[in-house]
Amino acid sequence: AGDGDCGHTHARAAQAIWEWVHAQPLPAAPAQLLSALADLLLEKMGGSSGVLYGLFLTAAAQPLLNRSDLPTWADAMDAGIEAMQRYGGAAPGDRTMLDSLCAAAQALHALRSPGADLLPVLTAAVESAEAAAEATRHMEAGAGRASYISSAQLLQPDPGAVAVAAVLQAVLEGLRS
């Protein structure tokens, strides 16, 4: 789907993150961490995915400048998605990474409830992202690289949506360990 480089682009990003994590102490403040990660992905990831993740992380960092409680993380997710939609031009239902991100964000809204428990909410968000990624298999591409390809040739789920679900799953696994 698209130009076929999604896996390579995400592998490049994963390698850059791995090297970064092992080369220096990470910023302790969430906003600084997300901003530094945005810069890293903009520099090392490449492709439209690198730009979109950079936009997402830069915008997501803003709500976390003064607070980092669970409701603010839900706000950060919403801010990141809004930036991706504004600058990328896609919307949920367009068969893009936004389908997974928006599904996860809906589940993460539970973080705004008093007494929310992070791991169960994040587990639900990952499950929602995975289901949304699978649902892209049957969508007409309205944006992104896949929109240049005949829908008859789009037989797999959107690679960007699948990648987002995998990234969220990795975050969940990291928090569990």
Side-chain angles (χ1 to χ4, degrees):
D3 53 14
D5 71 343
C6 187
H8 294 292
T9 301
H10 283 81
R12 214 173 21 251
Q15 182 65 35
I17 292 168
W18 189 88
E19 290 170 2
W20 178 59
V21 165
H22 289 90
Q24 66 212 4
L26 298 179
Q32 291 173 334
L33 177 65
L34 294 185
S35 293
L37 189 54
D39 291 344
L40 178 74
L41 294 179
L42 284 166
E43 178 185 341
K44 303 285 185 180
M45 187 174 192
S48 56
S49 293
V51 172
L52 290 170
Y53 280 114
L55 286 168
F56 175 86
L57 291 166
T58 298
Q62 294 308 304
L64 296 166
L65 285 171
N66 298 314
R67 295 178 42 206
S68 62
D69 58 1
L70 292 182
T72 306
W73 279 98
D75 296 343
M77 184 76 157
D78 290 344
I81 288 170
E82 193 274 322
M84 286 180 82
Q85 288 180 295
R86 185 172 358 114
Y87 294 109
D94 280 342
R95 194 182 202 277
T96 69
M97 64 173 55
L98 275 171
D99 292 298
S100 289
L101 277 172
C102 290
Q106 286 299 315
L108 290 176
H109 288 171
L111 293 175
R112 295 183 176 120
S113 299
D117 189 359
L118 176 62
L119 291 180
V121 171
L122 188 52
T123 298
V126 169
E127 291 168 357
S128 294
E130 290 170 343
E134 180 57 34
T136 64
R137 178 187 304 268
H138 307 292
M139 290 180 181
E140 184 80 24
R145 300 282 192 248
S147 66
Y148 307 137
I149 297 173
S150 164
S151 60
Q153 294 178 315
L154 297 174
L155 305 175
Q156 300 297 319
D158 179 72
V162 171
V164 163
V167 168
L168 291 172
Q169 178 65 42
V171 169
L172 175 61
E173 289 173 16
L175 290 173
R176 283 183 176 155
S177 61

